[in-house]
Amino acid sequence: MAFWLCVVSLFWLPVLRTRASSCPASSCPASYGPAGHNEVPLVFGGVYARCLNGCQPRGDQWSALCNPSELANVRTCQPQQTVAVMRAASRVELAANGSASLTPCQLLAYLQHRTLWLIGDSHMRHQYYALRCFLLDLWDHALGECAPSTSPAVNKALWKAADTNHTSLLRQLRPRTDVAKCFHLIKGGRICSVHSVRGEEFAAAPSAPEAPALLRVLQDSLARPKDIFVVTFGSWHLHNCIGLLTNSYTQSLVRVGALYQATRARFPNFIFKLTGHDHTECNAAGIVVNPVTRCLPASQGNYPLSIGLRVMQTAVSVLGRYNVSTMNNYQLSRQLYQAHTIYAAGTMDCLHWCT
């Protein structure tokens, strides 16, 4: 979970501190021992081995997915990847601002009695997986994952709003939208993943083909004013070797910003997470090298660095006009070409990150 929880430390904690009141960490249902020699901090995967009291079972399926020693798990960071992330994080003041010492109990204090809605493409879904592991002992494994609502009709409406008919430069295919799912925190509150990959679906106008807008459906049915929304899209609007669908991406950001302005009095806790850097190698013809066996920085990967920069800069510029808080991990992600998913067959996924 190295890269994604580094994002939590660097960008979420300062934002959550301004968005949510906290409760004493002493009320936390679990406790953790200090890091021993050569052990990684809790935020970099130390939760699995260092729980002392109030621990959830380590033999169930949920804990197995979070075992950093189980390298057969597809998303698990290799040891050298965790080291690389920690080194890069130290260069962006992770240690200086105290975020390296973030504990699950501290994060829990900001999430109690509210829903953290993680809304977006597979990058946000991986963030959900990372938080599920970081908070491993603070949610009920016996309950497992649940739908956001006990009403099948509400869940269906949410899925339909999240689904899209748009294809993309990324795959030239219509994406498959997963159903939303949540895990419930022991002390109250929950974290929910809502999968939606194209920006047109998030804040569509009532007359648009994508209507009803996903965020409107969520706010009108399940969300409460104290909830926290973390939203992302971008990857399905670009291709590392070709470019960015600028118009659709920009207009989607404008609509999200306008919706936030229209609803911020009721739903103030809204954050947009910027898309990380893609290290997928391209050939001279502008086609992704296949099979993918290495992830490379722009200086070696034969892809224009301007694409990723434009995605980041466009979001910062557009959303800034609407005073939307942004979680900008782009510069950190640009350094971490070593931290992508490695598959057993030796191939790699240079768009997604190990966890």
Side-chain angles (χ1 to χ4, degrees):
M1 71 189 77
F3 174 74
W4 283 122
L5 288 179
C6 182
V7 172
V8 170
S9 295
L10 284 169
F11 304 107
W12 287 44
L13 191 56
V15 173
L16 290 175
R17 280 173 175 160
T18 65
R19 299 293 191 189
S21 60
S22 63
C23 64
S26 59
S27 65
C28 187
S31 62
Y32 299 88
H37 183 62
N38 290 332
E39 285 188 324
V40 298
L42 294 174
V43 77
F44 287 111
V47 166
Y48 184 89
R50 288 170 49 194
C51 184
L52 297 178
N53 298 294
C55 314
Q56 288 288 307
R58 289 299 186 260
D60 64 16
Q61 61 171 325
W62 305 111
S63 290
L65 291 169
C66 303
N67 184 353
S69 299
E70 185 52 69
L71 300 182
N73 290 335
V74 172
R75 293 184 298 274
T76 299
C77 291
Q78 304 288 321
Q80 69 274 16
Q81 293 180 298
T82 300
V83 170
V85 172
M86 292 175 66
R87 287 175 177 168
S90 68
R91 294 195 292 269
V92 287
E93 300 181 348
L94 179 66
N97 67 16
S99 296
S101 60
L102 177 70
T103 71
C105 296
Q106 288 174 315
L107 186 58
L108 176 70
Y110 296 102
L111 300 179
Q112 288 184 7
H113 309 299
R114 69 182 71 218
T115 299
L116 173 60
W117 297 101
L118 304 177
I119 309 167
D121 54 29
S122 53
H123 291 288
M124 190 61 79
R125 185 169 54 192
H126 285 207
Q127 181 76 86
Y128 170 84
Y129 295 147
L131 284 171
R132 195 177 65 187
C133 287
F134 185 56
L135 299 172
L136 184 64
D137 300 299
L138 306 183
W139 65 279
D140 188 352
H141 293 199
L143 183 62
E145 291 177 322
C146 308
S149 174
T150 56
S151 167
V154 171
N155 293 325
K156 183 177 181 179
L158 183 62
W159 180 87
K160 289 182 67 176
D163 195 31
T164 184
N165 287 319
H166 290 278
T167 57
S168 75
L169 282 171
L170 184 64
R171 295 182 179 89
Q172 294 298 324
L173 296 171
R174 178 185 171 185
R176 184 184 68 182
T177 303
D178 292 341
V179 296
K181 52 192 175 184
C182 310
F183 63 89
H184 288 256
L185 303 172
I186 292 173
K187 300 289 288 187
R190 61 179 179 169
I191 297 178
C192 295
S193 169
V194 181
H195 184 226
S196 188
V197 305
R198 288 282 298 210
E200 293 94 337
E201 309 299 333
F202 285 65
S207 59
E210 298 85 4
L214 170 57
L215 291 172
R216 284 286 191 186
V217 169
L218 190 57
Q219 292 175 346
D220 290 343
S221 58
L222 290 167
R224 300 295 179 264
K226 64 182 178 181
D227 289 352
I228 301 170
F229 298 83
V230 182
V231 172
T232 192
F233 56 80
S235 290
W236 283 78
H237 292 263
L238 67 94
H239 188 293
N240 212 36
C241 306
I242 300 173
L244 171 68
L245 296 171
T246 305
N247 288 340
S248 68
Y249 180 61
T250 302
Q251 286 304 309
S252 297
L253 291 169
V254 168
R255 293 189 181 106
V256 165
L259 179 60
Y260 170 67
Q261 281 294 317
T263 61
R264 65 182 298 181
R266 185 180 176 205
F267 296 103
N269 306 320
F270 190 94
I271 307 161
F272 189 91
K273 191 187 83 62
L274 275 62
T275 300
H277 188 68
D278 185 349
H279 294 99
T280 304
E281 183 179 7
C282 307
N283 63 22
I287 300 172
V288 170
V289 173
N290 195 23
V292 179
T293 58
R294 58 183 185 173
C295 302
L296 298 173
S299 60
Q300 303 173 36
N302 202 34
Y303 56 82
L305 184 60
S306 59
I307 296 174
L309 284 171
R310 192 180 315 129
V311 174
M312 181 269 289
Q313 292 168 350
T314 300
V316 169
S317 174
V318 171
L319 296 175
R321 299 200 296 266
Y322 297 95
N323 297 314
V324 175
S325 297
T326 55
M327 187 189 306
N328 190 347
N329 61 293
Y330 178 76
Q331 294 299 339
L332 174 62
S333 70
R334 182 175 156 184
Q335 302 175 47
L336 296 177
Y337 59 91
Q338 321 97 312
H340 289 285
T341 304
I342 302 174
Y343 297 112
T347 57
M348 300 186 69
D349 178 350
C350 302
L351 178 62
H352 296 97
W353 309 89
C354 65
T355 57

